[in-house]
Amino acid sequence: MSPNTAVARRPRRSHRGAVAIAVAASAAAILTACAPPGSSGQDGPAAAATDVSTTLPSDPVKLQILTSQEAADVVTQLGQEFTRQNPTVTFDVVAEANSSINTNLSRILTRDTPPDILFTPALAQPARDGLLTNLDPYFDAYGWDSWSQELLRIARVSPEGDRGTGSLYAVGIGYNVTGIYYNKEIAAKVGLTAPPTTFDQFEKAATDAVAAGYLGVSLAAKDAGTPFLLQELQNAYGNAPEINDWIYQRPDATFDQPGMLAASQKLQEWTKVGAISPDALSVDYPTMMADFQAGKALYVPVGDWENARLTAAMGDNVGFFLIPPVDAGAKQYTMASPANYSIPQGAKNKDVAAYFLNWVQSNEQARKIVVDVLGSSPGGPVDLPVPPSDSPLVNSTLAAFQQVLADDGAVDFIANGSAAFTLDVLNPEMQALVLGSRTPQDFIDTVQAGYEKDLTR
């Protein structure tokens, strides 16, 4: 199959036994979660409400929010600030492990009294099963057309359960951006005194680091690291919109793209020249981060959820940049996504929940809490100023996120492209690519074949 050949139109995915793959931002690990069909009695997504209110009730209301353990602090602080501004609304914040929320998602959503707001990393199946509130009326009522539509697209689901299109079912509390962290001392030794502005500068510094006795890239090929680097490279080669089509399972979308081939070739080339450790297959995510913090590598490809850890470990010796596009002046693409929160269909306080979610994105104090506690962008209206941080590293990632918004360059994560094939095909094939036991084209063909097979189950 040539890089420009599109596959034949595939059958509609059955959604049977869907497995949602998510990047848990603060845990920074790929998680899997089974989301079996719910028991709502719906034949499909819930119909949008015909009448919603954007006014808080005068009677006391208690909102329950079920969030991840990693986000408990920010959600708790947001609730406290909201109550300070709106005393009739109080909060019951419950935090559980990401894995627990993923595994029990349908059971949580079908409780007699589900939470009013729920961290929902896997949206497609519960939206299709009618378990989530259709947020389109709130989109209109609050004017969410002033937000980044590429970011909201990640939380859209069609009546057939396809992602990236259709109605809106969640909004974010914090929006992450991925890129390249770099060790400033090593960079100075190889002549990189500022973040690289061209891909050639970026690559030359990585290979020069090898000659200076360092790794060019700290990479966790054992688990979560390879997808980050592979897609960063693919973004740099300029085919990001096409990979989004593949992630969202568009008819005729293919993994066999020129940018993916170039990225796969570059990743394998870096392994051969030692810019990536030959032992990368034995390196897991914590080891990858530890090696970078210990000064063993020039670069590490991750996201802004690592800001606090890296600042604490490295101080001013760490910086961040978006990988430069290969073609100078081209748009800046990178993986950028929200920590999505939905309103269960059975929630009792939907209007108040939507009011809170809108407030998180638009209120100055709420936006400041997101920046200070999460170290990530608050999202919301694109013309609102982003509160500055006391951390130079956080300010770097915030500026990078704004650049991505300006270029409309937010891309979803390739591990979200299909279901169980990510564990059964994509991850082992990426390991084979790093190992050199798969050519780049064979890697691409095998991944695409596994993807198509999974879609027809």
Side-chain angles (χ1 to χ4, degrees), residues 182-193 212 214 292-295 297-298 314 316-319:
Y182 71 105
N183 182 303
K184 292 182 179 179
E185 289 182 4
I186 299 175
K189 291 179 181 179
V190 298
L192 192 67
T193 57
Y214 303 97
F292 177 72
Q293 291 167 206
L298 173 61
M314 302 175 67
D316 294 334
N317 190 36
V318 59

Side-chain angles (χ1 to χ4, degrees), residues 96 141 143 198 219 353 366 371:
E96 295 184 8
T198 68
L219 184 69
V371 168

Side-chain angles (χ1 to χ4, degrees), residues 62-81:
K62 176 174 282 189
L63 286 185
Q64 185 183 84
I65 302 179
L66 178 54
T67 185
S68 64
Q69 291 174 341
E70 292 80 11
D73 285 348
V74 70
V75 172
T76 297
Q77 290 190 40
L78 287 167
Q80 291 169 345
E81 176 60 25

Side-chain angles (χ1 to χ4, degrees), residues 1-3 5 7 230 234 243 246 254-265 421 425-426 429-430 433 438-452:
M1 187 182 295
S2 71
T5 302
V7 298
L230 180 67
Q234 191 267 347
I243 204 65
W246 183 83
T254 179
F255 198 69
D256 195 356
Q257 303 171 10
M260 185 57 71
L261 179 60
S264 303
Q265 291 168 335
F421 105 100
V425 180
L426 182 60
E429 286 302 314
M430 284 188 291
L433 180 68
R438 280 279 192 275
T439 68
Q441 189 62 57
D442 286 344
F443 159 72
I444 287 171
D445 291 344
T446 304
V447 169
Q448 180 63 21
Y451 172 84
E452 293 180 42

Side-chain angles (χ1 to χ4, degrees), residues 19 94 124 145 169 186:
V19 180
V94 179
D145 55 352
Y169 286 94
I186 299 175

Side-chain angles (χ1 to χ4, degrees), residues 59-204:
D59 294 332
V61 175
K62 176 174 282 189
L63 286 185
Q64 185 183 84
I65 302 179
L66 178 54
T67 185
S68 64
Q69 291 174 341
E70 292 80 11
D73 285 348
V74 70
V75 172
T76 297
Q77 290 190 40
L78 287 167
Q80 291 169 345
E81 176 60 25
F82 189 90
T83 300
R84 189 187 70 79
Q85 297 182 24
N86 306 279
T88 61
V89 181
T90 56
F91 292 81
D92 177 17
V93 177
V94 179
E96 295 184 8
N98 277 302
S99 57
S100 176
I101 294 174
N102 278 324
T103 301
N104 297 301
L105 190 57
S106 285
R107 286 190 286 275
I108 294 168
L109 288 166
T110 53
R111 292 174 184 168
D112 290 339
T113 54
D116 295 294
I117 298 173
L118 172 65
F119 171 58
T120 315
L123 286 171
Q125 190 68 27
R128 179 179 180 269
D129 291 338
L131 301 178
L132 303 179
T133 297
N134 185 325
L135 299 182
D136 287 350
Y138 298 109
F139 178 99
D140 294 335
Y142 285 108
W144 291 348
D145 55 352
S146 66
W147 301 10
S148 166
Q149 298 308 298
E150 274 301 304
L151 291 177
L152 289 183
R153 185 182 177 202
I154 293 172
R156 292 190 177 278
V157 182
S158 75
E160 296 77 23
D162 294 331
R163 296 180 57 243
T165 186
S167 293
L168 184 69
Y169 286 94
V171 297
I173 295 181
Y175 291 77
N176 295 117
V177 64
T178 60
I180 308 294
Y181 287 89
Y182 71 105
N183 182 303
K184 292 182 179 179
E185 289 182 4
I186 299 175
K189 291 179 181 179
V190 298
L192 192 67
T193 57
T197 58
T198 68
F199 188 85
D200 287 344
Q201 289 177 339
F202 166 71
E203 181 177 20
K204 183 177 185 300

